[in-house]
Amino acid sequence: MTNDLLDRKLERAFTHLDADRSGVIDADDIIALGSRLLTALAEPADSPRAPW
């Protein structure tokens, strides 16, 4: 894999994780990821699978 392709893949992955576009991945971004996953899996927010 070329460096350019790898850089684009890493940038895309980072963009998905950095929900608030702050330039860093913090606890709020991880909670937002958990919320998006619950929604995608059709789980309610109060599900035992919820990360909080």
Side-chain angles (χ1 to χ4, degrees):
M1 198 176 313
T2 67
N3 285 340
D4 186 48
L5 178 58
L6 184 57
D7 287 344
R8 288 195 318 259
K9 286 184 171 207
L10 289 171
E11 180 64 31
R12 186 171 183 167
F14 183 86
T15 300
H16 285 296
L17 293 173
D18 185 19
D20 61 5
R21 307 285 192 254
S22 66
V24 296
I25 298 171
D26 57 17
D28 290 336
D29 294 319
I30 300 303
I31 291 170
L33 173 62
S35 181
R36 291 193 311 266
L37 287 171
L38 286 174
T39 299
L41 296 171
E43 287 286 333
D46 60 352
S47 168
R49 294 181 182 183
W52 42 85

